[in-house]
Amino acid sequence: MNIKVLDTTLRDGEQTPGVSLTSLEKLRIATKLDEIGVEYIEAGSAITSEGERASIKEITSQGFGAEILSFSRPLTVDIDYCLDCDVDGVNLVVPTSELHIHDKLNISCDELIDLSNDAVDYCKDHGLVVELSAEDASRSNVDFLRKVYSNAIDHGADRICVCDTVGILTPDSSLDLFSKLNDFSVPIACHCHNDFGLAVANTLAALKGGASEIHTTINGIGERAGNTSFEECVVSINRLLPQFSTNVKIDQIYDISKLVARSTGVYIQPNKAIVGENAFAHESGIHSDGVIKNSATYEAITPELVGRKRKFIIGKHMGTHGLDNRLKELGLNVDDIQLKQICDDIKELADKGKTVTDVDLQVIADNVLQINHEDRIKLDELTIVSGNKVMPTASVKITVDDVEILNAGVGLGPVDAAINALKSVDAFKDIDLIEYHVDSITGGTDAFIDVIIKLQKEDKVVSARGTEADIINASVKAYIAGVNRLLRD
């Protein structure tokens, strides 16, 4: 059975506290959703604001293959705004629990049904596709819920949806509820929230109960604890539920996950399934050895399936097989004795609580192999001017291939100014600083600062570290060390 996907990242996802997307960001996300095969895109809530309507209009003007919807209450004013945005349809949300009907709307159940029917009639009279979503359906009386749905279908609703608005379903109760609602003449959808961390499990159970459409958000963002995670749900359907399928191009899932994370500023926890940075990372020696021999030993899916790559992490839990694999990736071939010595040195470093980066690995390997690299760039002098009413300014004197260079730069702060002073030097061009992380190693105002950065030149990414009592010196040293590494490679 083919399962349809309605993605509500641009509506329910944007209701994540602190998230507000620009029209361009919404368009980029909608474009990617359309490209990867999502059937229905809830582009926003037209009633919200003029800017929201402009964003929805921009999306509806693109001629996407996906059906574009707007959230709407069962009110003429909401529906009129949806019509103004040229959407294909509406996600018509109608409260169905006694709590919402009596305490929120202060109306009777019969009045609620009349309100729903009138809204469906108005939508259909104006050519809109209608998906009627029962808000708080999981806390509604099932007989009344069926009555609301039956009336809506009789008035022309094209699809119906069960909303677990506060995330109180369990997989068992989700299966039971959908089994009682799967006999209608139109498709039924599942919209879950993650308040108890069960949104994906409840959605999968709903499919077994008869649902044929799922509501999701990219990375599971949304109000409170979020919504059903698009990537987790789609990949679970693909790999764990052979009786179901979707039209989603799952090898592009990681791309859209990163796009949404960048656009919203809601970054992904490292251990998140499918798209977290550690999802396909291995440090344990037993795991690394098994994965090298056969990836299925410790991976339920291959990283390539979802547009990822496998990583072997350098740390105290690693074994020699994973380490040897990483050394080969760095172009270093070692014998068994050298490999064991490098492994022991890394574990000694990690036991002290230090994060072992590729730079540390390179230095340790160089020491064991007695390799001495001559750095092309050396820092001779660094001067910083900064104050309350002074734009931070840095001057640097460096030696590049035995040629002395003096340069200056300004920035938002002294570190930014120092890095900018270096960036304009030819040796530093086409190198991007993609990650910058600072840790205080000791306590007090004289604490040693540990700066870890990542630099990229074309498809090559390296890590570098600088440790100083002065954060500016530590940052510059780390930056120069990383550039030396890229130039050497």
Side-chain angles (χ1 to χ4, degrees):
M1 179 181 179
N2 187 257
I3 304 301
K4 305 296 184 184
V5 179
L6 183 151
D7 190 86
T8 181
T9 301
L10 301 180
R11 198 273 300 175
D12 224 341
E14 196 190 20
Q15 290 174 200
T16 301
V19 171
S20 182
L21 297 167
T22 66
S23 181
L24 179 58
E25 287 167 338
K26 283 199 167 194
L27 179 59
R28 286 173 176 166
I29 293 170
T31 300
K32 191 62 178 177
L33 286 169
D34 186 60
E35 287 176 358
I36 67 175
V38 168
E39 286 85 4
Y40 313 126
I41 300 172
E42 191 173 17
S45 176
I47 190 67
T48 300
S49 68
E50 187 60 43
E52 181 83 340
R53 290 188 284 278
S55 296
I56 297 173
K57 288 178 184 178
E58 185 68 25
I59 292 170
T60 57
S61 70
Q62 301 302 311
F64 290 143
E67 177 183 296
I68 308 300
L69 302 95
S70 169
F71 171 94
S72 175
R73 296 171 298 175
L75 301 174
T76 302
V77 62
D78 281 38
I79 299 166
D80 284 341
Y81 275 127
C82 295
L83 291 166
D84 289 343
C85 294
D86 297 322
V87 293
D88 301 307
V90 292
N91 179 22
L92 191 64
V93 179
V94 178
T96 55
S97 69
E98 288 193 13
L99 177 66
H100 279 240
I101 294 170
H102 300 312
D103 291 12
K104 186 177 77 172
L105 299 183
N106 195 28
I107 61 176
S108 69
C109 291
D110 288 340
E111 288 174 314
L112 185 282
I113 290 178
D114 290 340
L115 187 67
S116 172
N117 292 342
D118 290 345
V120 175
D121 286 341
Y122 191 78
C123 289
K124 299 308 295 182
D125 288 345
H126 289 81
L128 291 170
V129 173
V130 175
E131 179 162 325
L132 186 125
S133 292
E135 185 180 16
D136 208 24
S138 53
R139 293 192 292 184
S140 301
N141 176 277
V142 174
D143 291 336
F144 178 70
L145 192 57
R146 290 186 62 86
K147 187 176 181 180
V148 172
Y149 286 146
S150 295
N151 272 269
I153 294 168
D154 289 343
H155 284 256
D158 301 276
R159 303 188 296 269
I160 56 177
C161 177
V162 173
C163 298
D164 184 22
T165 301
V166 292
I168 52 87
L169 286 176
T170 65
D172 287 343
S173 61
S174 178
L175 174 61
D176 180 65
L177 178 58
F178 278 85
S179 296
K180 295 174 180 175
L181 299 169
N182 65 8
D183 57 344
F184 290 107
S185 60
V186 299
I188 184 168
C190 177
H191 180 110
C192 288
H193 283 261
N194 203 40
D195 295 76
F196 289 89
L198 295 172
V200 171
N202 291 338
T203 300
L204 298 180
L207 297 180
K208 293 182 178 181
S212 58
E213 177 190 325
I214 59 175
H215 286 203
T216 66
T217 60
I218 305 300
N219 300 331
I221 62 174
E223 292 187 77
R224 304 185 311 280
N227 291 45
T228 298
S229 165
F230 169 83
E231 57 284 348
E232 293 175 22
C233 206
V234 167
V235 175
S236 293
I237 291 170
N238 179 273
R239 304 303 289 181
L240 303 179
L241 302 179
Q243 67 271 43
F244 302 113
S245 63
T246 72
N247 294 323
V248 174
K249 300 172 185 174
I250 60 176
D251 62 333
Q252 297 183 36
I253 277 179
Y254 187 58
D255 289 343
I256 194 167
S257 170
K258 298 294 284 185
L259 172 63
V260 170
R262 289 194 304 269
S263 300
T264 60
V266 180
Y267 288 95
I268 306 162
Q269 66 203 61
N271 63 327
K272 190 179 190 305
I274 313 300
V275 294
E277 286 306 302
N278 293 345
F280 299 98
H282 303 275
E283 180 180 330
S284 163
I286 296 173
H287 285 212
S288 297
D289 179 47
V291 168
I292 290 169
K293 292 173 179 174
N294 184 338
S295 64
T297 54
Y298 290 103
E299 289 177 348
I301 59 174
T302 62
E304 292 79 13
L305 181 73
V306 291
R308 303 290 308 276
K309 290 184 178 180
R310 183 179 298 111
K311 294 192 300 183
F312 293 101
I313 305 301
I314 306 304
K316 67 179 181 180
H317 301 106
M318 70 176 186
T320 54
H321 286 87
L323 175 59
D324 190 42
N325 189 80
R326 185 70 188 116
L327 288 168
K328 283 184 169 61
E329 290 176 353
L330 295 173
L332 297 171
N333 293 302
V334 299
D335 59 32
D336 291 344
I337 295 175
Q338 292 167 331
L339 181 62
K340 184 179 184 306
Q341 183 60 58
I342 293 170
C343 188
D344 289 343
D345 289 350
I346 286 171
K347 292 189 176 190
E348 181 182 350
L349 191 63
D351 279 337
K352 297 175 181 177
K354 186 175 181 181
T355 301
V356 183
T357 68
D358 283 347
V359 173
D360 298 311
L361 175 59
Q362 184 83 44
V363 171
I364 291 170
D366 288 353
N367 289 336
V368 171
L369 297 172
Q370 296 183 335
I371 298 173
N372 292 312
H373 293 294
E374 184 66 30
D375 289 335
R376 290 181 56 188
I377 304 170
K378 295 177 182 177
L379 176 66
D380 299 320
E381 291 180 16
L382 170 64
T383 303
I384 300 290
V385 177
S386 183
N388 187 33
K389 296 183 179 181
V390 178
M391 177 175 287
T393 305
S395 63
V396 294
K397 185 167 76 171
I398 58 175
T399 302
V400 181
D401 296 331
D402 298 325
V403 177
E404 189 178 279
I405 298 173
L406 185 64
N407 207 33
V410 296
L412 297 176
V415 172
D416 189 39
I419 299 301
N420 287 338
L422 293 168
K423 277 183 177 179
S424 58
V425 177
D426 287 343
F428 292 81
K429 289 182 177 177
D430 301 321
I431 294 176
D432 295 320
L433 176 60
I434 59 174
E435 191 172 310
Y436 177 86
H437 182 74
V438 178
D439 277 327
S440 174
I441 298 176
T442 57
T445 56
D446 60 346
F448 266 78
I449 302 299
D450 196 25
V451 174
I452 301 172
I453 66 171
K454 281 187 180 179
L455 300 175
Q456 181 170 8
K457 182 178 175 68
E458 297 174 348
D459 61 347
K460 181 71 174 177
V461 177
V462 301
S463 299
R465 166 182 257 123
T467 303
E468 290 272 344
D470 185 303
I471 188 174
I472 306 169
N473 285 334
S475 301
V476 170
K477 286 185 177 180
Y479 188 60
I480 290 176
V483 173
N484 272 319
R485 169 85 182 282
L486 285 170
L487 296 177
R488 183 165 66 245
D489 290 346

